[in-house]
């Protein structure tokens, strides 16, 4: 079987939150440590962040180091994972320009993720062209590193499909050059898309309904205690709904039986707690207090490691520089192959010059 390569990443539009952690970060660290991958590229997608933050360059600039700190805090290891900054690899932009010819406007318009994001940002008629075309730029990121595997949250599924279409089109027009990637979703269904603390469909930096990995103890507690639950569960004795109840969705993603033994021995596991909630007689406050304990214990070591890296910011930039340099060489090799396949490699093709010279000699 061909060697497996990972590409994944995040937009530097804010610190990373626990949705990123369960949806992709936690899994990335396991993949990194599995030793199954030839290369792992984790990209800080600043160029993509600028597509809807063009007037806010300082925000993107500041958040590069925040995202890098979150990566290191979660256990991404620069010895095993190349952490790179998208804008510093111009080859990616060049690839995008050529891929644009292989995609129709109506195809991008049909992309459900783009549709949802346009709505969320109230762009309607004023969508920046760069934002509109970001699925194509994402195809460049994935293919530049010949990624076989893209571990992301479920909201990214239409993006990977778009990339696969571009790869197939490119290879059929110009000959077998690019690698078709596969999306890798978490096995744990509760982690595919963590809702926001306000109960909205997705925890997202751009909405601000987040618990951040860097949040201090009291901020986490405040978010948990004010979280959205079942609006019809008014009195403790009322039966409650577990489905669509944010507090239980978080417990699905974070709790395990050991946490019950330690912090809530009234129940052996989450199923028992859910049954009691459904029957009535279990108050939101008790469930929230348990969730708070679970999150505090999960996030404490991450926050402490983050504080250690915060004391050596020049090191963090050095990691980013090295990762970017390595990645740029890989992307440049792919771009070279792409240009060769597209027949736009005029100066490094001796056969071409010879052929033209012969043609004119005989004319
Ligand atoms: P923005 O609002 O700027 O788009 P975001 O919070 O959606 O930010 P991204 O940087 O777009 O975060 O996403 C990075 C990765 O994290 C993607 O793989 C995405 O699928 C995953 N992800 C983001 N939010 C969640 C979530 N709430 N639950 C699970 N995975 C998520
Ligand atoms: Mg997003």
């Amino acid at each position: 079987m061909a060697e497996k390569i990972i590409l994944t990443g995040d937009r530097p539009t804010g610190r990373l939150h626990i949705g990123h952690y369960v949806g992709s970060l936690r899994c990335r660290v396991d993949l990194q440590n599995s030793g199954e991958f030839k290369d792992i590229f984790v990209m800080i997608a600043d160029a993509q962040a600028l597509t809807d933050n063009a007037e806010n360059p300082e925000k993107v600039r500041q958040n590069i180091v925040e995202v890098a700190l979150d990566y290191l805090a979660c256990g991404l290891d620069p010895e095993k994972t190349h952490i790179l900054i998208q804008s510093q690899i111009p080859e990616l932009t060049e690839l995008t320009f050529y891929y644009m010819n292989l995609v129709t406007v109506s195809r991008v318009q049909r992309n459900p993720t783009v549709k949802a994001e346009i709505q969320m940002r109230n762009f309607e008629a004023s969508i920046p062209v760069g934002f509109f075309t970001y699925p194509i730029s994402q195809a460049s990121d994935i293919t530049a590193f010949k990624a076989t595997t893209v571990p992301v949250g479920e909201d990214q599924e239409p993006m990977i499909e778009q990339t696969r279409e571009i790869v197939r089109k490119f290879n059929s027009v110009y000959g077998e050059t690019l690698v078709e990637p596969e999306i890798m979703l978490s096995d744990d269904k509760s982690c595919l898309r963590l809702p926001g603390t306000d109960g909205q469909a997705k925890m997202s930096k751009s909405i601000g309904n987040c618990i951040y990995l860097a949040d201090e103890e009291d901020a986490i507690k405040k978010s948990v205690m004010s979280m959205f639950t079942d609006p019809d569960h008014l009195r403790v004795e009322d039966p409650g709904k577990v489905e669509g109840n944010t507090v239980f969705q978080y417990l699905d993603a974070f709790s395990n039986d050991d946490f019950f033994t330690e912090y809530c021995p009234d129940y052996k596991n989450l199923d028992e707690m859910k049954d009691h909630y459904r029957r009535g007689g279990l108050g939101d406050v008790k469930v929230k207090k348990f969730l708070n304990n679970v999150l505090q214990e999960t996030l404490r070591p991450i926050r402490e490691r983050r504080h250690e890296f915060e004391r050596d910011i020049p090191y963090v930039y050095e990691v980013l520089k090295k990762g970017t340099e390595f990645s740029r060489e890989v992307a440049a090799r792919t771009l070279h192959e792409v240009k060769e396949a597209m027949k736009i490699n005029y100066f490094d093709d001796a056969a071409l010059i010879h052929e033209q010279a012969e043609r004119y000699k005989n004319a």
Side-chain angles (χ1 to χ4, degrees):
M1 228 197 85
E3 283 160 326
K4 292 201 288 179
I5 296 172
I6 286 181
L7 178 280
T8 180
D10 304 274
R11 294 152 41 92
T13 48
R15 293 176 163 186
L16 299 185
H17 51 67
I18 61 174
H20 297 118
Y21 183 71
V22 293
S24 80
L25 273 175
R26 185 162 70 180
C27 159
R28 280 183 211 170
V29 174
D30 291 343
L31 294 171
Q32 163 194 276
N33 297 333
S34 74
E36 274 181 42
F37 295 87
K38 176 175 167 267
D39 276 309
I40 302 181
F41 298 92
V42 176
M43 182 177 81
I44 303 183
D46 62 335
Q48 190 192 113
L50 285 167
T51 63
D52 57 330
N53 286 282
E55 275 130 61
N56 234 333
E58 196 55 35
K59 169 173 144 191
V60 174
R61 182 183 176 84
Q62 296 302 330
N63 277 308
I64 293 212
V65 76
E66 299 296 336
V67 170
L69 284 165
D70 287 327
Y71 285 168
L72 296 169
C74 285
L76 284 186
D77 174 357
E79 296 291 317
K80 298 180 184 157
T81 295
H82 313 290
I83 305 177
L84 59 125
I85 304 183
Q86 185 185 29
S87 66
Q88 303 306 297
I89 306 189
E91 286 78 2
L92 299 175
T93 323
E94 215 176 320
L95 283 174
T96 306
F97 191 70
Y98 297 126
Y99 293 173
M100 281 185 178
N101 305 331
L102 305 175
V103 183
T104 64
V105 170
S106 69
R107 175 64 184 86
V108 181
Q109 266 164 343
R110 263 189 290 122
N111 183 317
T113 308
V114 175
K115 265 194 194 159
E117 290 182 335
I118 286 172
Q119 207 174 22
M120 193 178 103
R121 289 165 174 77
N122 293 322
F123 272 156
E124 280 134 22
S126 57
I127 317 158
V129 174
F131 183 84
F132 184 70
T133 56
Y134 95 75
I136 305 172
S137 136
Q138 221 159 305
S140 306
D141 305 332
I142 295 168
T143 55
F145 303 107
K146 303 224 159 109
T148 55
T149 314
V150 187
V152 284
E154 169 212 46
D155 60 319
Q156 293 298 309
E157 212 155 8
M159 299 295 163
I160 313 303
E161 193 40 47
Q162 176 75 81
T163 300
R164 292 162 60 86
E165 282 176 33
I166 290 175
V167 169
R168 288 198 289 264
K169 178 93 190 187
F170 188 100
N171 288 348
S172 78
V173 175
Y174 302 114
E176 216 40 52
T177 312
L178 302 173
V179 177
E180 212 174 305
E182 308 263 353
I183 189 169
M184 182 185 237
L185 294 170
S186 166
D187 294 337
D188 185 347
K189 294 285 162 278
S190 66
C191 293
L192 291 177
R193 189 179 304 203
L194 197 73
T197 50
D198 57 353
Q200 281 208 52
K202 183 175 174 262
M203 178 176 286
S204 166
K205 296 183 224 107
S206 303
I207 305 177
N209 52 1
C210 307
I211 295 177
Y212 293 98
L213 290 173
D215 276 353
E216 296 293 338
E217 198 170 330
D218 47 343
I220 298 169
K221 185 161 181 199
K222 202 167 149 224
S223 296
V224 172
M225 297 318 281
S226 60
M227 228 154 116
F228 181 84
T229 59
D230 171 5
D232 301 322
H233 186 237
L234 297 172
R235 291 166 309 170
V236 173
E237 56 277 22
D238 290 338
K241 262 204 299 297
V242 166
E243 287 68 33
N245 184 326
T246 316
V247 177
F248 281 99
Q249 286 171 291
Y250 283 34
L251 285 175
D252 279 328
F254 285 96
S255 83
N256 59 41
D257 297 356
D258 292 343
F259 283 125
F260 277 96
T261 316
E262 189 166 351
Y263 295 113
C264 204
D266 292 355
Y267 311 99
K268 268 210 279 310
N269 53 42
L270 189 54
D271 286 337
E272 283 188 6
M273 183 183 239
K274 283 181 176 173
D275 284 344
H276 192 183
Y277 193 84
R278 285 196 187 99
R279 281 199 309 276
L282 171 55
D284 283 341
V285 172
K286 181 165 176 177
V287 187
K288 285 181 172 177
K289 279 188 171 156
F290 175 59
L291 174 62
N292 178 55
N293 282 320
V294 169
L295 288 181
Q296 296 293 354
E297 187 152 320
T298 308
L299 299 179
R300 188 180 309 108
I302 297 176
R303 184 173 59 239
E304 284 170 0
R305 257 199 315 273
R306 196 183 202 276
H307 287 325
E308 281 170 33
F309 288 111
E310 285 167 1
R311 284 194 283 273
D312 195 358
I313 295 297
Y315 165 78
V316 179
Y317 277 96
E318 199 46 45
V319 163
L320 294 173
K321 186 157 175 257
K322 279 210 182 109
T324 302
E325 279 165 3
F326 178 92
S327 308
R328 186 170 180 188
E329 282 172 28
V330 177
R333 278 200 294 280
T334 304
L335 179 63
H336 187 86
E337 290 166 23
V338 160
K339 289 172 100 169
E340 202 166 42
M342 292 179 69
K343 301 189 179 299
I344 50 176
N345 60 331
Y346 313 113
F347 301 135
D348 62 5
D349 186 357
L352 170 72
I353 300 167
H354 180 74
E355 188 188 298
Q356 304 284 12
E358 285 299 304
R359 191 156 65 87
Y360 275 100
K361 217 190 296 174
N362 300 332

